[in-house]
Amino acid sequence: MTINLNGRTRLYPLLGDPIIYARSPDWLSHRMAERGMNMISLPMQVPEGQLETVLAGLAATGNVDGLSLTMPHKVTGFQYCATVTETSRMLGVVAAIRRNKDGSWHGHTTDGDAFVKAQIDNGATIEGAKVLVLGAGGAGSAIVISMLEHGAAEVAVHDVDVARSERIVGLLKEKWGDKVRVGEADPTGFDVVSNATPMGMEDGDPLPLDTTRLSAEMFVGDVVAGHGETAWIKAAKEAGCKTADGDAMVVAVLDVMCDFLQDAWVAQG
């Protein structure tokens, strides 16, 4: 699908640092074109501490309909949204932002929906499954919620910072009860094992758990995108597991993001 840039093209930047590994702007721009949306995504390297300055400039730019946030801005970006979805409100993070009718920002975290869609699209069964989520940051917490919403029988959360695991479990206990709990870095007995940590973004990163404990019956996922086959996914394949890597998540988020943006784009005519 050819992207046709013209004076009516709407902009949807991706803000992050580092940004050199990002592949989503190209993919998202082409998906927007496929869906008839005269809109493009483009990468912007925004260092930590500079988000407020950049957002002010983007807010004043009339053809910017929204933006997406990656590390390290998902938590910081929350405070600049006038309205947010329930999941974002609960977690205090945003990954996607669009314009409200009054020009203010509306935030949502797409990570959970995109990650789970990628797992299902690549053969995972979530309904009734026992799920281990490694990492309780913004992405991991959103994944925990989406796993539960998709019918997981149990979701255990492990983070090296135990307080972060306890926080998300505490937030979800009232609604989900014993279906969510703090877990260990041990995949034994789980059907789905998901890496939501940044381990694998840099050469020499440690693995998030002992991969000799993976078995072929498990489905293994990863959030790390743009780095080829990570050591985590390689080890999972060697254990006979079906997998979905971070690039699969990026592909899945395309429609999730377009759906989120459609209202803002239509409003611009």
Side-chain angles (χ1 to χ4, degrees), residues 79-181:
Q79 64 185 290
Y80 301 109
C81 293
T83 58
V84 295
T85 59
E86 181 180 0
T87 299
S88 281
R89 178 193 57 75
M90 185 180 299
L91 300 180
V93 298
V94 291
I97 297 175
R98 71 183 185 209
R99 296 268 193 185
N100 286 317
K101 290 186 180 297
D102 63 2
S104 62
W105 300 120
H106 174 71
H108 176 47
T109 176
T110 59
D111 291 334
D113 294 342
F115 185 87
V116 173
K117 184 178 188 301
Q119 311 309 289
I120 294 171
D121 288 350
N122 283 276
T125 299
I126 303 303
E127 186 171 0
K130 295 182 65 176
V131 179
L132 174 62
V133 177
L134 304 166
S141 296
I143 290 167
V144 171
I145 294 173
S146 192
M147 289 288 188
L148 290 165
E149 290 177 341
H150 280 78
E154 174 188 343
V155 180
V157 190
H158 173 76
D159 195 289
V160 291
D161 182 347
V162 178
R164 294 212 301 182
S165 300
E166 291 174 341
R167 176 181 177 273
I168 184 59
V169 170
L171 285 172
L172 299 179
K173 272 291 184 184
E174 182 176 353
K175 181 174 183 179
W176 299 105
D178 292 339
K179 286 189 174 183
V180 59
R181 64 177 177 84

Side-chain angles (χ1 to χ4, degrees), residues 1 6 19 28 35 58 66 81 112 136 154 162 178-179 187 189-190 208 224 229 243 262 265:
M1 174 64 68
N6 52 63
I19 204 71
L28 182 55
R35 291 179 57 152
L58 294 176
C81 293
E154 174 188 343
V162 178
D178 292 339
K179 286 189 174 183
F190 289 95
V224 176
E229 185 178 76
T243 65
Q262 192 76 43
W265 178 77

